[in-house]
């Protein structure tokens, strides 16, 4: 019998199990304006360029929020470096239906982080709720593109808690700020669940379990025994060598201890990227000497959440999906942001 490879098949109909956010934010508006359906390359390029722009703004917002004082040249070098490590360069060149959800999810995540962090430092009280509203909506769209990428938004938690606990502002104002962020997030979640229920009969079913692929997706469950394998593949797996420039390429070095079938293809470990490895080795410099200042606490919480969530996400991705290059980019924002505070602080004037 004929079937469409890697689509979801449910009650006699084929569906894409990818999120609908790119359709709502690019495909449909483009179609309404031009009367034509855009190509996959057009959509991929749109989110790549927009994502890189907001990634740069998110980095600047992080520098301001954590009160880092990097040298200008080092800061400028971070922009193209982060473009590569976060995956925009690779995803922008590998155009297919698998990379679009990831690059669009990353794009929305960068918008969420930029507006969320800017809201924390904004002095204009009227601007704060607007920025938080955009941040919450962008995070909802990131969930609607690729939910695992959206989980990187957890890095905003300590700063938002700081807003809620700021007794210098009235309680009503603080609750209003919280509602500005949470309301679009709840609305987005409700729409996603309604969309899922309309297609697959359950608000929590995205369709992956009906995927026509090489294995039974129902059998993919979170297993603690897979944690060492996840850490190896997502953080430590070395690239393969080749005879032409750049002399390295993504490859696969499998393990024999999975205990069950795991979808494993080519990829790389995050710590095989020199800038990530160097930044992680400089975590003592990034955390710095403990002080009683709230800024110090925020920086520590930010770094701790990034590192802990990267391990958690890699484990979840490996258990539920497996290992391939664009899965690795789910954790790369969480690995990239902790990679620059150490070098930034190490090259700035000594401080407590």
């Amino acid at each position: 019998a004929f079937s469409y490879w890697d689509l979801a098949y449910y009650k006699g109909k084929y569906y894409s199990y990818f999120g609908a956010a790119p359709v709502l934010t690019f495909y449909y508006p483009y179609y309404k304006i031009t009367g034509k359906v855009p190509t996959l390359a057009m959509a991929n390029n749109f989110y790549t360029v927009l994502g890189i722009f907001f990634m740069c703004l998110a980095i600047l917002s992080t520098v301001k929020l954590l009160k880092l004082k990097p040298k200008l040249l080092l800061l400028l070098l971070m922009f193209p470096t982060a473009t590569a490590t976060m995956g925009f360069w690779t995803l922008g060149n590998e155009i297919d239906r698998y990379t679009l959800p990831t690059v669009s999810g990353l794009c929305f995540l960068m918008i969420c982080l930029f507006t969320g962090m800017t809201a924390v430092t904004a002095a204009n009280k009227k601007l704060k709720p607007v920025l938080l509203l955009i941040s919450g909506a962008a995070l909802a769209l990131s969930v609607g593109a690729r939910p695992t990428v959206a989980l990187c938004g957890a890095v905003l938690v300590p700063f938002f808690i700081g807003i809620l606990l700021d007794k210098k502002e009235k309680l009503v104002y603080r609750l209003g700020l919280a509602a500005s962020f949470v309301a679009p997030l709840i609305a987005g979640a409700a729409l996603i669940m309604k969309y899922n229920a309309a297609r697959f009969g359950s608000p929590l079913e995205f369709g992956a379990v009906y995927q026509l692929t090489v294995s039974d997706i129902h059998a993919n469950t979170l297993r603690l025994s897979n944690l060492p394998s996840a850490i190896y593949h997502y953080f430590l797996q070395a690239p393969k060598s080749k005879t032409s420039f750049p002399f390295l390429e993504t490859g696969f070095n499998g393990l024999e201890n999975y205990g069950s079938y795991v979808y494993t293809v080519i990829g790389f470990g995050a710590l095989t990227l020199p800038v990530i490895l160097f930044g992680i080795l400089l975590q003592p410099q990034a955390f710095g000497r403990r002080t009683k200042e709230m800024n110090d606490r925020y920086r520590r919480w930010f770094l701790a959440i990034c590192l802990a969530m990267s391990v958690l996400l890699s484990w979840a991705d490996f258990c539920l999906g497996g290992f391939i290059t664009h899965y690795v980019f789910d954790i790369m924002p969480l690995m990239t942001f902790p990679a620059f505070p150490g070098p930034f602080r190490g090259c700035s004037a000594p401080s407590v």
Side-chain angles (χ1 to χ4, degrees):
F2 177 78
S3 63
Y4 289 100
W5 170 254
D6 224 14
L7 291 178
Y9 183 74
Y10 179 72
K11 291 187 176 181
K13 296 181 179 180
Y14 291 97
Y15 299 90
S16 171
Y17 57 88
F18 298 129
V23 176
L24 295 175
T25 56
F26 181 74
Y27 278 87
Y28 187 72
Y30 184 94
Y31 177 76
K32 290 296 291 184
I33 294 172
T34 66
K36 300 178 181 179
V37 177
T39 64
L40 182 61
M42 293 169 63
N44 206 84
N45 292 340
F46 172 78
Y47 291 111
T48 298
V49 173
L50 193 65
I52 292 172
F53 174 74
F54 280 102
M55 178 207 71
C56 294
L57 294 180
I59 290 174
L60 292 175
S61 298
T62 305
V63 169
K64 182 177 181 180
L65 186 59
L66 300 183
K67 295 185 178 179
L68 302 172
K69 298 178 180 179
K71 300 294 185 181
L72 178 60
L73 179 59
L74 192 59
L75 176 61
L76 293 176
L77 288 173
M78 179 53 67
F79 296 142
T81 301
T83 300
T85 59
M86 288 197 193
F88 286 108
W89 176 259
T90 301
L91 295 169
N93 284 278
E94 295 183 3
I95 301 171
D96 61 39
R97 61 190 173 111
Y98 298 100
T99 58
L100 179 59
T102 302
V103 74
S104 59
L106 284 170
C107 174
F108 294 128
L109 175 67
M110 292 302 115
I111 296 173
C112 168
L113 295 180
F114 162 62
T115 51
M117 292 180 180
T118 303
V120 176
T121 57
N124 190 326
K125 290 186 176 182
K126 294 182 179 180
L127 182 61
K128 278 180 179 288
V130 175
L131 290 170
L132 289 172
L133 185 72
I134 297 173
S135 183
L139 187 58
L141 288 170
S142 186
V143 174
R146 184 163 174 82
T148 46
V149 169
L151 291 175
C152 297
V155 297
L156 291 172
V157 169
F159 305 107
F160 287 176
I161 291 176
I163 290 177
L164 289 173
L165 297 180
D166 185 7
K167 296 183 178 179
K168 296 179 182 178
E169 301 291 347
K170 294 181 179 180
L171 179 60
V172 174
Y173 178 71
R174 285 180 277 159
L175 292 176
L177 292 178
S180 298
F181 179 81
V182 173
L185 196 57
I186 293 176
L191 290 173
I192 290 172
M193 288 190 289
K194 185 176 181 180
Y195 177 67
N196 290 340
R199 298 203 303 166
F200 303 111
S202 172
L204 300 179
E205 179 54 62
F206 287 86
V209 296
Y210 302 113
Q211 181 183 355
L212 300 174
T213 185
V214 295
S215 65
D216 182 6
I217 303 298
H218 290 86
N220 292 351
T221 59
L222 294 175
R223 296 186 179 95
L224 191 58
S225 59
N226 281 341
L227 181 58
S229 299
I231 291 175
Y232 166 73
H233 286 298
Y234 280 80
F235 296 95
L236 303 175
Q237 179 173 298
K240 294 175 63 177
S241 61
K242 63 177 185 177
T243 57
S244 58
F245 183 84
F247 306 110
L248 294 172
E249 63 181 352
T250 55
F252 176 69
N253 296 300
L255 300 175
E256 302 299 331
N257 64 339
Y258 302 134
S260 62
Y261 173 82
V262 178
Y263 175 72
T264 47
V265 200
I266 61 171
F268 64 95
L271 294 178
T272 64
L273 300 179
V275 67
I276 300 297
L277 178 61
F278 183 64
I280 296 302
L281 291 176
L282 284 180
Q283 285 307 289
Q285 182 68 28
F287 276 84
R289 190 170 63 184
R290 187 183 296 274
T291 70
K292 295 182 179 179
E293 295 182 6
M294 282 305 299
N295 176 65
D296 175 66
R297 296 180 188 178
Y298 288 147
R299 184 180 66 253
R300 289 169 174 272
W301 292 341
F302 175 82
L303 294 172
I305 290 174
C306 281
L307 298 175
M309 282 295 295
S310 64
V311 174
L312 181 63
L313 271 180
S314 65
W315 174 57
D317 268 0
F318 186 77
C319 290
L320 301 178
F323 172 74
I324 191 172
T325 302
H326 63 268
Y327 289 2
V328 179
F329 293 130
D330 288 350
I331 69 168
M332 289 313 294
L334 295 170
M335 296 299 293
T336 301
F337 280 108
F340 60 77
F344 283 179
R345 298 190 82 212
C347 295
S348 60
S351 60
V352 293

